[in-house]
Amino acid sequence: MSRIFREGLTAEELESLFSSDDACLEFLADLKWSAGFTCRKCGNTNSCPGKAPHSRRCTKCKSEESATTGTIFHHCKFPVSKAFYIAYHVCKGKEDLSSYELARRLSLRQMTCWNFKTKTMQALDHMSDLTANEKSAIERMLR
Ligand SMILES: [Zn+2]
């Protein structure tokens, strides 16, 4: 998750992430299993594609793991591409978008944006490997 804002994503890459759920899931899956797959249930390292887009299924115990499992995007009730947009802006912190502004841009309810923004900030709060800039951006928003 922390790599989402460390990667130097180009404007085009961001644009495709913010406009496509599939691109977001692919991006998450790439990050998540970049060092290979390990089953969360049995530890097996062999997998085949699961039913859901960009998910993996353990070849031993057959449990399926989605690209969002273990990330802040898990159980997200609105499109993951919109969640990406919020998370990115919280992480980058260049412009402090209010939940009202996010709601307007994404056509979501203000409360939905507020909740996800808070969730992202809490997740960031628990990361020890942030740079000073990223930390201060988060602190600014918590005020
Ligand atoms: Zn397994």
Side-chain angles (χ1 to χ4, degrees), residues 91-106:
C91 295
K92 285 298 180 190
K94 276 177 190 157
E95 38 175 351
D96 187 1
L97 296 178
S98 70
S99 52
Y100 291 95
E101 177 61 17
L102 286 167
R104 196 186 61 76
R105 290 191 192 182
L106 298 171

Side-chain angles (χ1 to χ4, degrees), residues 37 39-44 58-63:
F37 172 88
C39 177
R40 295 162 81 91
K41 294 236 171 74
C42 73
N44 178 30
C58 172
T59 54
K60 204 187 266 175
C61 73
K62 310 289 180 209
S63 75

Side-chain angles (χ1 to χ4, degrees), residues 83-130:
F84 246 77
Y85 187 88
I86 298 175
Y88 181 81
H89 283 87
V90 169
C91 295
K92 285 298 180 190
K94 276 177 190 157
E95 38 175 351
D96 187 1
L97 296 178
S98 70
S99 52
Y100 291 95
E101 177 61 17
L102 286 167
R104 196 186 61 76
R105 290 191 192 182
L106 298 171
S107 311
L108 291 171
R109 291 189 313 131
Q110 180 266 331
M111 208 49 177
T112 304
C113 293
W114 189 87
N115 281 336
F116 193 78
K117 201 177 158 182
T118 305
K119 190 177 177 182
T120 306
M121 289 189 293
Q122 281 167 351
L124 291 177
D125 218 23
H126 291 106
M127 288 177 187
S128 50
D129 58 348
L130 295 176

